[in-house]
Amino acid sequence: MSKIKNIGVLTSGGDAPGMNAAIRAVVRASLYHELKVTGILRGYDGLINADFIPMDGKSVANIIQRGGTVLKTARCDAFRTKEGRAKAYDNLKKSEIDALVVIGGDGTFTGANVFAQEYDFPIVGLPGTIDNDLMGTDLTIGYDTAINTVVNAVDRIRDTAESHDRLFIVEVMGRDSGLIALRSGIGVGAEAIMIPEAKTAVSDLIKRIENGRKDKASKIIVVAEGDEAGGAYNVGKALEKKFPNYDIRISVLGHIQRGGKPTCMDRVLASRLGVAAVEGLLEGKAGVMAGQVNKEIIFTPFAGAIKHINAEQITPAWLKLAEILSM
Ligand code: ATP
């Protein structure tokens, strides 16, 4: 029998669509197993300031379809300090919370890992980030929604690009990872995709445009914000110099990529992983992230999940595929 009686749940780092579905699943699974469940507001900030709210089945009603996070989220520098984490532990003890589910990205798991080791505290993580940059899960909660948002936005831009024979450079999120750019770029039929992993030089891009089909007047170039060339504006400047006759426009999609209703895929993933996190804790799992790999639930130690390189997702084969399709 598990000693766990009260599970705390928080969302941390950048918000991602599907976080609410994950919270709902954690709450409902806890209640199903006759546990108490406590919502912690604004991530680690709420842990340090004892911003706790009791949750029941009703408190998560009608949130599965909403983007953002009803528990709010924050970046919290105090949790990076020993004193901050000591306060957090104190508050958990006082409120008799004896396990945590943390929903976030690599920073959230780095913090959870330090805390779990310092205080031997049971924590299971859920991958909640639009970046899909974690190991131990094929998909993170929020990624599917984000790439579909990008595809919907760029489809609209394509209408204008086609009508006016314009070249659009569209910047999408991804400071360290070009995965959103690569997958959505393939999805919209981009003429070129620039991502940090491929280190595409602007000179190569120019060559591609020069060698591209002459009967194709509209072009969409998808650029990840973290690309070597320095984002859409820098790429735009370089192309303007080289192709003064092109009608070049820049569109930075920005924060629209984070919000919005989660796709069914994200809702189902979040729901399944949320239940797995609670049941994992009851089975004695700790210091791990729950993920889905090849349709199976697996638990990966935090240190393994945050390795950052998800090399399987950006391979030369994927880059080649994008190149073949862009002709
Ligand atoms: P995303 O990348 O999707 O925005 P994230 O979880 O990576 O999500 P971060 O802002 O990097 O977001 O991290 C969230 C919080 O985790 C930080 O504000 C901080 O409180 C905590 N954290 C990150 N790194 C550490 C660390 N080394 N030690 C303790 N806490 C940390």
Side-chain angles (χ1 to χ4, degrees), residues 124-127 136-139 141 268-281 283 285 288-300:
V124 170
L126 291 179
T137 192
D138 290 336
L139 295 170
I141 298 162
V268 173
L269 178 69
S271 300
R272 189 175 184 213
L273 294 182
V275 173
V278 170
E279 295 187 340
L281 281 167
E283 287 160 13
K285 301 247 174 4
V288 292
M289 181 196 84
Q292 182 177 286
V293 175
N294 292 333
K295 302 198 178 91
E296 299 290 327
I297 300 281
I298 65 156
F299 293 89
T300 305

Side-chain angles (χ1 to χ4, degrees), residues 7 21-37 56-57 60 101 270-280 282:
I7 292 182
I23 296 166
R24 171 179 178 271
V26 170
V27 170
R28 297 256 160 108
S30 301
L31 298 175
Y32 177 84
H33 290 287
E34 297 177 0
L35 306 171
K36 269 172 79 172
V37 56
D56 57 21
V60 291
V101 176
S271 300
R272 189 175 184 213
L273 294 182
V275 173
V278 170
E279 295 187 340
L282 292 177

Side-chain angles (χ1 to χ4, degrees), residues 12-16 19 44-45 74-81 85 103-112 114-115 128-131 133 175 258:
S12 159
D15 66 305
M19 279 182 160
Y44 294 133
D45 210 36
R75 311 214 189 248
C76 170
D77 284 334
F79 199 70
R80 296 175 189 269
T81 66
R85 294 193 297 273
I103 307 165
D106 58 339
T108 300
F109 297 159
T110 307
V114 174
F115 185 79
T129 166
I130 62 167
D131 295 328
D133 58 351
R175 269 191 308 259
R258 275 200 183 281

Side-chain angles (χ1 to χ4, degrees), residues 154 157-158 161-162 166-170 181 184-194 200 204-223 239 246 319 321-327:
V154 181
I157 291 172
R158 175 72 83 179
E162 272 286 303
R166 278 181 186 153
L167 184 156
F168 266 89
I169 303 166
V170 183
S184 62
I186 290 171
V188 299
E191 276 64 37
I193 301 167
M194 299 180 76
T200 325
D204 290 342
L205 177 66
I206 290 170
K207 250 188 245 147
R208 283 179 60 88
I209 296 174
E210 281 172 340
N211 297 336
R213 264 177 39 211
K214 299 286 175 281
D215 60 342
K216 206 174 188 184
S218 90
K219 293 193 191 323
I220 301 278
I221 297 168
V222 176
V223 182
L239 293 190
Y246 266 113
L319 298 172
L321 178 76
E323 194 188 324
I324 291 170
L325 294 168
S326 68
M327 299 299 253

Side-chain angles (χ1 to χ4, degrees), residues 38-194:
T38 303
I40 297 159
L41 298 177
R42 286 181 297 280
Y44 294 133
D45 210 36
L47 213 50
I48 291 173
N49 295 308
D51 233 338
F52 300 158
I53 46 167
M55 310 277 284
D56 57 21
K58 194 159 177 264
S59 53
V60 291
N62 207 19
I63 67 168
I64 193 167
Q65 75 279 24
R66 286 166 59 190
T69 159
V70 293
L71 289 178
K72 305 210 178 262
T73 185
R75 311 214 189 248
C76 170
D77 284 334
F79 199 70
R80 296 175 189 269
T81 66
K82 256 189 177 316
E83 298 73 39
R85 294 193 297 273
K87 255 177 127 179
Y89 182 70
D90 228 38
N91 290 333
L92 287 171
K93 283 284 120 188
K94 274 189 204 142
S95 301
E96 297 181 330
I97 297 171
D98 31 35
L100 280 178
V101 176
V102 299
I103 307 165
D106 58 339
T108 300
F109 297 159
T110 307
N113 204 23
V114 174
F115 185 79
Q117 286 175 6
E118 241 166 17
Y119 293 100
D120 190 21
F121 198 87
I123 308 181
V124 170
L126 291 179
T129 166
I130 62 167
D131 295 328
N132 206 26
D133 58 351
L134 294 165
M135 300 295 287
T137 192
D138 290 336
L139 295 170
T140 57
I141 298 162
Y143 169 69
D144 184 61
T145 306
I147 54 175
N148 276 293
T149 302
V150 171
V151 164
N152 283 322
V154 181
D155 282 350
R156 287 162 195 238
I157 291 172
R158 175 72 83 179
D159 290 344
T160 300
E162 272 286 303
S163 305
H164 289 268
D165 290 342
R166 278 181 186 153
L167 184 156
F168 266 89
I169 303 166
V170 183
E171 183 177 302
V172 304
M173 280 188 173
R175 269 191 308 259
D176 307 308
S177 163
L179 198 55
I180 292 178
L182 182 58
R183 291 298 192 278
S184 62
I186 290 171
V188 299
E191 276 64 37
I193 301 167
M194 299 180 76

